[in-house]
Every structure is written in structure tokens, then in C-alpha cells.
């Protein structure tokens, strides 16, 4: 029964995340073949995940099921490695080498940098909470 509950929570998170991803793709349409929507989804997910794990979980004592729903369900369906690889291959096939280079670089390096920023954001929020208690 517990696994069925977790499965249901993941379905809810995935439903929300995939719909957010679709909405985001309507807002950030590809420009000159550059997959801006996928980039925005992956970078924003890379920013939010460390904050979720390192701050919200500790600050609000979120349950394992809640974290699983938000991280694996919602963010897992919102961010998209498969679309990233498909977009990269499309740029490669079309001979858009410069866009491919920028897309790969910004996604990989940018993802790492915004993940660092997410960790910094979590730490600064935790410090602010701690200093308010004194």
C-alpha cells in the first residue's frame, strides 16, 4: 500500500511538472533553431533542486514522500535530458555548429553554475533563518 501511495504522489508531481514544461515551451519558443525552452527548463530545474533538497527539506521538515514528489516527480518531468539530446542532435544534423556549441556549453556549464547558485541560495536562507532565531 505504501508503494502505491508513493506511485500516486509521483504521478501527481509528474503531471504538474510536465504541464509546467509544456507551458514553459509555449513561452520560450525556439529562436533560429536554438532550443531556448529546453535550456530554460533545465537551468531553472538545476537551480531549484539544490534549494529544495538543502533548504526546504531541512527548514520545513518535509517528508521523504514530499521530497520525492517534488524532486523526482515534478522536477524530473519538468527538466528533460532526452529533449536536450534530441535538440543537440537536431542542431548537429542541421550543421548549426555555433548554436550546438553554445547550447552544449550553456547547458552543461550553466547547469553546474546555477546548481552552485542554488546551493548558495539554500545556505544563505538557512543562515538568515538561524540569525533571526538569535
Amino acid at each position: 500500500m505504501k508503494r502505491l501511495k508513493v506511485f500516486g504522489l509521483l504521478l501527481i508531481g509528474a503531471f504538474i511538472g510536465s504541464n509546467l514544461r509544456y507551458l514553459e515551451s509555449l513561452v520560450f519558443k525556439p529562436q533560429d533553431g536554438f532550443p531556448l525552452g529546453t535550456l530554460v527548463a533545465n537551468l531553472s530545474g538545476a537551480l531549484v533542486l539544490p534549494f529544495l533538497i538543502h533548504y526546504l527539506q531541512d527548514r520545513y521538515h518535509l517528508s521523504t514522500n514530499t521530497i520525492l514528489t517534488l524532486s523526482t516527480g515534478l522536477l524530473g518531468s519538468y527538466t528533460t535530458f532526452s529533449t536536450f539530446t534530441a535538440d543537440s542532435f537536431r542542431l548537429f544534423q542541421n550543421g548549426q555548429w555555433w548554436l550546438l556549441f553554445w547550447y552544449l556549453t550553456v547547458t552543461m556549464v550553466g547547469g553546474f553554475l546555477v546548481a552552485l547558485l542554488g546551493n548558495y541560495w539554500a545556505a544563505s536562507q538557512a543562515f538568515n533563518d538561524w540569525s533571526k532565531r538569535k
Side-chain angles (χ1 to χ4, degrees):
M1 189 62 160
K2 182 179 178 183
R3 287 186 179 171
L4 189 58
K5 179 183 176 183
V6 170
F7 185 73
L9 291 171
L10 287 174
L11 281 174
I12 292 167
F15 174 79
I16 294 168
S18 62
N19 280 284
L20 286 173
R21 172 71 175 95
Y22 177 69
L23 177 63
E24 177 269 338
S25 73
L26 295 175
V27 173
F28 298 99
K29 297 185 187 294
Q31 298 174 2
D32 297 326
F34 189 80
L36 184 60
T38 306
L39 181 67
V40 169
N42 288 336
L43 292 182
S44 60
L47 174 69
V48 171
L49 184 61
F51 185 77
L52 168 70
I53 291 171
H54 297 296
Y55 176 71
L56 295 179
Q57 182 177 17
D58 292 340
R59 173 70 170 95
Y60 297 104
H61 309 290
L62 300 177
S63 70
T64 302
N65 287 346
T66 301
I67 292 298
L68 191 62
T69 300
L70 294 174
S71 62
T72 303
L74 193 145
L75 286 175
S77 65
Y78 173 69
T79 59
T80 172
F81 187 74
S82 58
T83 305
F84 162 69
T85 56
D87 289 340
S88 299
F89 186 72
R90 185 180 37 77
L91 292 171
F92 174 78
Q93 273 188 318
N94 294 337
Q96 295 176 294
W97 310 110
W98 190 241
L99 288 179
L100 175 61
F101 169 77
W102 280 109
Y103 185 52
L104 293 172
T105 302
V106 172
T107 299
M108 300 306 287
V109 175
F112 177 73
L113 292 176
V114 297
L116 288 176
L117 183 62
N119 279 294
Y120 174 78
W121 181 26
S124 68
Q125 284 301 113
F127 179 77
N128 287 340
D129 290 349
W130 177 78
S131 64
K132 287 178 185 175
R133 286 187 239 164
K134 288 199 161 230

